[in-house]
Amino acid sequence: MGKHIRNWVPCSAFSKFSLGTLSGIALDLVFPGTVLIWIGIFIILFSISVFLPKRFQIAESFVFGILFLLVVTVLFPSRFQREEKNTNVAVEKKTIFGKLERKFQEKFRERILLHLQKADLEKNSHRVALGLIFGEPKQLSKEFKQKAKEGGILHLFAASGLHLGILMGVQFSILSRIPGLGHNFPRIIPLLTGFIYLSALGYPVSLARAWIFAGMLLFQGLFFRNLRPVDLLLGSAWILWIWDPSRFYTVSFCLSFGAVTGIFLFSYPIKHFCNFLSDENFLSSFFKENLSISFSAGLGTMPVLLFAFGSFSFGSVLLNLLVVPLAGILLPILYLSLLLQETKIDFIIESSWSITEFLIQILSYLSNTLSKPLGFYKEMGDAVAIGILGWLCLALSVFSFAWISEKFFLNAVPFEKNFKNIQNSEYIYLNTKRIFSKKILPFAEIGLISWIVWIYILLYKSPELFPIENRIINNRFFFLLRNGDSLFLSGKCKYGFRALSKTFQTSKKNYCDTNKDGEALDKIFVEDESCLTWAFQCISDHPKIEILYAGRDPELWAQTSKMRIFKSQKTREIRLQGGSTILFFHTKKDSLEGLFRKTRTGRGWILLETPFGSKDNAQVWNRNRKLLGLPESWVFLEKDELQRIPISESF
């Protein structure tokens, strides 16, 4: 473990330079506007470290990296200064070679779409194939995408290192077996075809990261140099930042680097508690390798998913053990089928597409049926901090066990083959005296696995310790309200997309599942068609729920969506469980006489609706409430004031 930790110290001048630049970026994110202060601090520390022993000195390359950040942000502020925007939004496709490359991207897409159309795949298989080829989850149906998200396998449908690794790995495997091609040719050709694929997809950040990795490893092989994982990570991150600063701050970037960092950092210690799986047996060795990679990638992306989305699939390792090997078989056959389509030999094409569709259907079946029972998807809500603490505990547990087992149980353990071409002999250990008998090791491994499972169970249950209170989600144009067995989506939801997205990511169950009083959702009242998308998300797992729709074309929506949608009038009154009532009052369409009649008894809130551009507001109406003959138990509110309703009154 000592050498494993030491291998995370940058060894090249470029890595240290990159570390300096990236450290400056990180400090600016945490402490905005303080870059100059930190640069000054590092220069002072560098000056002091000159008088210290060499092992404590700050490398010149590190300081130059920070100074480089200062120079480029001053000279090119529009390019390198971070913009405050939603980092979850997909970034449009990029080109390096201008219009010619843009035309190539369009032709590539048209050609693939034409081949898939000729393949005559079943509708769902067609969508999955598009998602796998283009790495775009938007190609999937909303229901399938949601299940893939809950199962923690949505990464299969995002262009990533998995896709590029399979594409290049298959080529290298074939070319390296052809006599006479030498050492370099089988390595250069896959890299070139990988770049063509990267260009065709518009340089998605995760695929670009994987290609840069492959390029750095290629140069390592050509010049017989060894690179440490930290050198690969720092170098590729710096190159991506220089090339496309806007994508550097996206969630996709964080997830891509989080996954590969987790694999580099955790897969070696994780293999320590999988020693009961023999490396000599192919099946057990294959299972051990996939388990360590899946679990490591999950640990690497866990904090990013918790911070960005407030949710995590605690059983994603289990499902990935099934679908990732299947994707490793499916993707080469899918790429081969597209190539064979160019031959126009019907017999070969039909046979190839039959096998491809069969594998796609298996992948779809596993995703649809196992995502929920194996994914253990959980929206953490206010328990995100507990999730981060649990992640730290898991990471420390893995490292601690690896160190203990290596120090007290094992003799010479040559792990260099696990990181071939990256670290080589860095992991060869000298024989050491074993302190405890190896017979105790299986019990220690069982204990660690039980400990990890217990932490996962605790984290999965932690949101129940901090239940998110059901509340009204609203702005000037819409509101979302759960009242008993009914859910109300009033107004135009298209003007509240961000608020609704955040709500459904973190606390969807409060609005769509059984509430704390044991009442299951029975009806959803929808006014505008822009709100139907959110209603469909609620009933995806509960198809018997009725949607009472007051918008356009209810019959058409019912026919196309195959949901229980019924025509309804707009909601004008909501009786809350606390005994109060919400009345809707439009200043131009509703009469004061009708309002007076409804408010003679009881208490509640009058939701004011005004025509566009009207200067009427709730404050004026409340000031003149006595002149209108309304009792003080009724209060006028506007839609953006609904939070004034006490929780006890609304739920």
Side-chain angles (χ1 to χ4, degrees), residues 71-338:
V71 171
V72 296
T73 51
V74 170
L75 296 179
F76 310 100
S78 59
R79 176 175 175 82
F80 288 101
Q81 287 184 356
R82 182 178 177 236
E83 299 178 6
E84 293 294 333
K85 60 181 181 180
N86 187 4
T87 55
N88 293 334
V89 176
V91 184
E92 64 177 5
K93 290 184 177 181
K94 290 187 70 70
T95 61
I96 294 178
F97 305 106
K99 293 182 179 180
L100 183 64
E101 188 176 19
R102 177 71 68 184
K103 188 175 182 180
F104 164 70
Q105 291 173 352
E106 294 172 354
K107 290 291 184 182
F108 177 83
R109 193 176 191 88
E110 290 174 1
R111 196 70 177 172
I112 296 297
L113 292 173
L114 179 62
H115 287 341
L116 289 176
Q117 184 179 0
K118 290 180 178 179
D120 195 25
L121 300 177
E122 188 264 333
K123 184 178 181 181
N124 187 56
S125 299
H126 181 85
R127 287 178 171 177
V128 173
L130 282 174
L132 289 170
I133 296 167
F134 295 115
E136 298 174 350
K138 67 181 182 181
Q139 303 290 347
L140 309 172
S141 66
K142 291 181 179 179
E143 182 181 358
F144 184 86
K145 183 180 176 181
Q146 180 64 24
K147 289 184 177 180
K149 174 188 172 183
E150 292 177 355
I153 58 172
L154 197 57
H155 63 91
L156 293 179
F157 308 98
S160 64
L162 175 66
H163 298 69
L164 195 68
I166 291 172
L167 177 65
M168 295 174 61
V170 170
Q171 293 179 73
F172 175 76
S173 179
I174 295 173
L175 293 174
S176 62
R177 286 171 168 77
I178 300 177
L181 294 184
H183 175 78
N184 297 336
F185 190 81
R187 289 168 171 79
I188 295 174
I189 293 301
L191 191 68
L192 294 177
T193 56
F195 181 79
I196 294 172
Y197 186 49
L198 176 66
S199 170
L201 297 189
Y203 304 95
V205 64
S206 54
L207 199 67
R209 186 269 311 157
W211 189 83
I212 293 171
F213 263 43
M216 294 177 74
L217 289 173
L218 170 67
F219 284 106
Q220 166 190 276
L222 293 179
F223 297 104
F224 302 99
R225 294 284 300 259
N226 289 333
L227 290 176
R228 295 176 177 179
V230 68
D231 298 321
L232 286 170
L233 291 168
L234 291 174
S236 57
W238 188 88
I239 292 170
L240 281 174
W241 174 71
I242 285 290
W243 172 59
D244 192 358
S246 62
R247 298 195 190 195
F248 181 83
Y249 300 100
T250 61
V251 174
S252 297
F253 176 90
C254 296
L255 287 173
S256 177
F257 274 83
V260 75
T261 301
I263 292 171
F264 282 145
L265 187 61
F266 296 113
S267 61
Y268 166 71
I270 284 172
K271 287 179 180 179
H272 271 286
F273 65 84
C274 294
N275 283 326
F276 60 90
L277 295 171
S278 172
D279 289 328
E280 296 178 0
N281 183 280
F282 172 78
L283 290 178
S284 64
S285 177
F286 179 79
F287 178 77
K288 180 179 180 179
E289 189 71 25
N290 278 276
L291 177 63
S292 64
I293 291 176
S294 296
F295 189 68
S296 301
L299 276 181
T301 55
M302 186 176 180
V304 180
L305 292 170
L306 289 174
F307 274 121
F309 304 107
S311 60
F312 188 69
S313 299
F314 291 94
S316 59
V317 175
L318 302 175
L319 193 55
N320 275 284
L321 286 174
L322 295 175
V323 298
V324 171
L326 178 61
I329 300 171
L330 169 59
L331 282 171
I333 297 176
L334 177 59
Y335 296 146
L336 179 62
S337 298
L338 292 171

